[in-house]
Amino acid sequence: MSPNLLCSRDNFNNFYSEFDLKEKIGEGSFSDVWLCVQRNSGREYAAKVLKKDYGHTIDADKLNAISEVNVSNSVGKHPFLLMLKSAYHDKEKGKIILVTELMKKSLYDIIENGECPLSEYRIKTYMYQMLEGLRYLHENGFIHRDIKPENILLTSRDKILKIGDFGTTCQAIYGHQYKQYVATRWYRSPECLLTEGWYNSKMDIWATGCVLYEISTGHPLFDGRDENDQIEKIDRVLGSPDQRLINKFKKYKSDVFVARYETNKRHDRTTGVGLHTVYQPYRPAYDLIIDMIVYDPSKRYSANRLLRKSYFYEINNTAFEYKMREFEKLLRNKSIFNLSKIDEKSNTTINGQSSIIKKQGPGGDRIQNVQTHSENTETSANILSADINQEIDQPKLDKRKSNTHKISCSKTNIKKSIIVPEPENIPHGNRKQNTHNSSKDNTKDISSSKQMLTESVSTLNKGSVIKNIRNKFVNRQPFK
C-alpha cells in the first residue's frame, strides 16, 4: 500500500468488513495487539488497537498526527522496518486500528527462552539489520526513542529482523527539547537521564549497544531499579563523566543530575571498571560495542559509521546485503521517477506562464523578448562550448622546436595572436652594438602588442570573464 493512502481513505470504518479478529497476542500501556486474518486472502496480520478515544469522526490531519502513521507516510517501506499496511477508524468505539505485517516473535522472547548467548554470525546479522534500519530512520529525520528487545521483531525462521513500535518516534529537530522519559530505563542513554530532554539520534545507538550486550550474554547491561540507580550503574562501568561533559549536561540538568552532582556535594568521581571488564574483547562484536556504549553522545558512533566497520565485511554477498541492494535500487528508480515528474510540472508551468505573458502585451511582444533571450543564451552557450573544446583539443607547443610564445584571446571565430620574441633570438654578438636600436624596436613591439590586446579585448562582450584553464584563455559568461 502506498504510504499516502493511509490518510486519504474515504471510509476508515471498513476494518471489520476486511478482517476477522482472532486473539490478543500483546498488550501495552497505550495499545493492544490482536491477531487478525484478511477475509479475501486468508493472510494473517497484526492489528494494533490504540486505547485512546479519538471520537466518532477523525480527519486526515488528526490521523497523520499519530506517530506510527506519520512515520509510515514520511519514511515509507524498508526491509528492516515494520511499517503500516493500513489504518482504520472504528466509529462506534472511537478507536484507531493500525494493521502491520505479523511477526512471530521478538528478541525478548529469545532472551526469555534461554537461547542466549546467540552465535557470533547470528549476532552480526541482527546488528547489521538493526543498524541499517536505524540509519534509514535517522537519515529521514526521525528518532525511534524506544529501542529494546521487545520492539525488535523476528520472522518465523528468526532470520529477518524488523524494528517495530513507532509509538514514541519523533522528528529530529536541532536545538529542540524533547520529552524527558521516553526510552525504557535499562536502555536509556546518559544524556536522557541527566538532562531534561536534550538528546538526539545517538540515544538509539546507545540502546542498540545495550541490546547487543543482552543477546550476547543473556542478561541486561545496566538494570537499574530507578533513574538514580541506573546512572550509578553506568558510572561503575564507564566511570564518571569529565568536567567538560558535566558542564554540558548542567545547562539542561534533570532531577537526576541535581540529586547526583548538586545535592550530594560529597559525590566522588567514579573511575569505573571499564567496558572491557564486563564485556571481554574476545566476545562477539566487541569492536562494535566499544563505539556504541560511549558516555559522550558526540563521540558515540552513528549508525552509518558503524556499518562501515570491517566487522560487517562478512555480510557482503549475503541475502541481507542483497535486500539492501534491491531497496537502494528501488530508491534510485523512485527518485528518477520523481525528478521526471518535477520536470513535467516545470515544463507545464513554463508553458502556462508563456501563454499568460503572451496575453499581457499586444502582438506577443513580451513572449517574443523571452524567446529571443533564450535563443541568445543557447547561442552563447554553444559558442562557449565550441571555444572550450577547440582550446582543449589544441596540441601543446613544444618549447624545443618553437622560439615564440603565442597568447590567444578567442571570441567566437575571431582569433588574434601576439608574437613576443624571446631573448634567445638575439645573437650574443649584436646585443651591445644594437642596444639603442633594439630598445626602439622593443618599444614599438610593446606598443603594437598593447594595441592588439586592446583590440582583441574590446571584441569581447561587456561583463564577460576570461578564465585561465591550463594556460588557455576562455571567454565565459558572467556569473549571476
Side-chain angles (χ1 to χ4, degrees):
M1 170 179 286
S2 175
N4 293 330
L5 207 60
L6 291 169
C7 292
S8 62
R9 296 176 66 96
D10 297 329
N11 182 16
F12 294 109
N13 201 28
N14 57 358
F15 171 78
Y16 295 103
S17 63
E18 295 182 18
F19 297 92
D20 290 326
L21 289 179
K22 293 298 182 182
E23 59 179 338
K24 185 185 291 187
I25 57 177
E27 185 176 358
S29 302
F30 304 101
S31 62
D32 296 328
V33 182
W34 289 75
L35 170 65
C36 64
V37 179
Q38 192 174 30
R39 294 183 177 180
N40 295 336
S41 63
R43 293 180 181 176
E44 293 182 337
Y45 291 95
K48 184 176 182 179
V49 182
L50 303 183
K51 293 183 178 180
K52 180 180 177 181
D53 188 358
Y54 288 88
H56 300 294
T57 58
I58 184 171
D59 56 5
D61 293 335
K62 195 172 182 180
L63 182 68
N64 195 52
I66 301 172
S67 180
E68 290 96 329
V69 178
N70 184 25
V71 173
S72 295
N73 285 337
S74 303
V75 175
K77 293 182 179 180
H78 188 276
F80 306 130
L81 296 176
L82 186 64
M83 294 301 179
L84 297 183
K85 296 288 185 182
S86 54
Y88 301 89
H89 178 222
D90 185 354
K91 293 183 178 180
E92 295 179 359
K93 299 179 181 179
K95 304 296 182 183
I96 295 295
I97 305 173
L98 308 175
V99 179
T100 64
E101 177 187 353
L102 180 64
M103 307 294 283
K104 296 297 183 180
K105 62 174 71 173
S106 66
L107 284 182
Y108 177 79
D109 298 323
I110 290 179
I111 296 170
E112 287 296 306
N113 293 337
E115 299 180 34
C116 297
L118 302 178
S119 66
E120 184 173 357
Y121 182 75
R122 192 174 174 186
I123 292 172
K124 184 175 295 187
T125 58
Y126 284 174
M127 285 297 106
Y128 175 79
Q129 294 175 82
M130 285 185 66
L131 290 174
E132 281 288 2
L134 286 177
R135 179 178 69 89
Y136 188 68
L137 193 67
H138 294 166
E139 287 178 353
N140 281 273
F142 286 94
I143 310 173
H144 189 280
R145 300 200 299 180
D146 198 15
I147 295 293
K148 58 183 179 180
E150 291 90 331
N151 292 335
I152 310 302
L153 307 172
L154 303 170
T155 57
S156 57
R157 296 183 179 180
D158 299 345
K159 289 184 179 181
I160 302 300
L161 172 150
K162 291 191 178 185
I163 301 173
D165 195 355
F166 298 97
T168 58
T169 302
C170 69
Q171 288 184 323
I173 305 172
Y174 180 77
H176 178 73
Q177 185 177 7
Y178 304 98
K179 291 183 179 179
Q180 185 175 356
Y181 299 112
V182 282
T184 305
R185 186 192 316 123
W186 290 359
Y187 310 95
R188 201 173 294 167
S189 60
E191 63 268 22
C192 293
L193 293 165
L194 296 175
T195 67
E196 291 185 344
W198 292 97
Y199 50 80
N200 55 22
S201 60
K202 296 292 185 67
M203 68 172 291
D204 290 340
I205 303 299
W206 173 280
T208 306
C210 295
V211 173
L212 168 58
Y213 180 91
E214 198 161 350
I215 62 177
S216 301
T217 61
H219 55 82
L221 178 56
F222 306 114
D223 55 348
R225 298 183 303 274
D226 52 38
E227 284 74 23
N228 293 313
D229 186 49
Q230 185 72 17
I231 197 68
E232 176 68 29
K233 292 193 173 184
I234 292 174
D235 286 356
R236 287 177 190 173
V237 176
L238 301 181
S240 300
D242 55 22
Q243 193 60 42
R244 177 194 63 83
L245 191 56
I246 291 176
N247 293 336
K248 185 178 179 181
F249 289 153
K250 190 176 182 179
K251 296 178 182 179
Y252 322 107
K253 58 187 177 182
S254 64
D255 295 337
V256 178
F257 182 93
V258 172
R260 187 163 184 79
Y261 294 106
E262 294 184 358
T263 304
N264 186 9
K265 297 290 185 180
R266 297 180 181 180
H267 172 72
D268 297 328
R269 176 178 173 81
T270 306
T271 304
V273 296
L275 185 63
H276 63 278
T277 59
V278 297
Y279 194 82
Q280 293 74 18
Y282 63 83
R283 289 185 178 274
Y286 177 77
D287 292 339
L288 205 64
I289 198 172
I290 58 174
D291 292 320
M292 302 171 78
I293 304 299
V294 180
Y295 216 115
D296 189 349
S298 63
K299 297 180 180 179
R300 199 177 304 150
Y301 276 28
S302 65
N304 187 35
R305 192 174 179 184
L306 290 168
L307 285 166
R308 294 200 302 266
K309 278 179 165 287
S310 59
Y311 172 76
F312 290 111
Y313 285 171
E314 194 178 355
I315 301 295
N316 294 339
N317 300 323
T318 61
F320 308 104
E321 191 195 28
Y322 289 147
K323 276 183 173 291
M324 285 306 303
R325 285 184 186 178
E326 291 297 323
F327 176 70
E328 291 169 357
K329 182 179 178 181
L330 182 65
L331 283 182
R332 286 194 296 269
N333 295 336
K334 186 178 179 181
S335 62
I336 293 171
F337 178 73
N338 291 337
L339 284 174
S340 63
K341 276 189 172 182
I342 293 173
D343 291 339
E344 290 176 2
K345 289 182 180 179
S346 62
N347 291 334
T348 305
T349 306
I350 292 172
N351 293 333
Q353 289 178 350
S354 63
S355 62
I356 293 172
I357 295 172
K358 191 170 183 179
K359 292 178 182 179
Q360 289 177 349
D365 294 335
R366 294 191 180 182
I367 189 65
Q368 187 177 357
N369 294 335
V370 173
Q371 289 176 350
T372 305
H373 175 72
S374 62
E375 289 173 1
N376 292 336
T377 306
E378 292 177 0
T379 306
S380 59
N382 293 334
I383 293 172
L384 177 60
S385 62
D387 289 343
I388 292 174
N389 293 333
Q390 190 173 1
E391 291 290 340
I392 293 174
D393 292 339
Q394 285 182 354
K396 294 184 179 179
L397 295 175
D398 193 346
K399 292 183 180 180
R400 292 176 297 180
K401 295 182 180 179
S402 176
N403 293 327
T404 60
H405 295 299
K406 294 185 179 181
I407 304 173
S408 60
C409 297
S410 62
K411 171 63 175 75
T412 64
N413 296 326
I414 302 173
K415 290 190 178 180
K416 297 189 178 182
S417 60
I418 303 167
I419 302 175
V420 182
E422 288 188 353
E424 295 177 359
N425 296 335
I426 303 173
H428 289 282
N430 297 333
R431 283 187 182 179
K432 292 183 180 179
Q433 298 176 3
N434 300 331
T435 304
H436 182 69
N437 296 332
S438 63
S439 62
K440 288 182 179 180
D441 296 338
N442 290 338
T443 306
K444 291 179 181 179
D445 292 339
I446 291 170
S447 60
S448 61
S449 301
K450 286 183 178 179
Q451 185 179 358
M452 294 176 73
L453 275 172
T454 307
E455 213 171 42
S456 60
V457 171
S458 63
T459 58
L460 300 175
N461 290 334
K462 291 183 179 180
S464 59
V465 180
I466 301 175
K467 185 177 180 182
N468 189 350
I469 301 178
R470 295 184 181 178
N471 298 327
K472 294 180 175 62
F473 293 85
V474 180
N475 179 21
R476 294 194 59 182
Q477 295 296 324
F479 178 78
K480 295 182 179 179

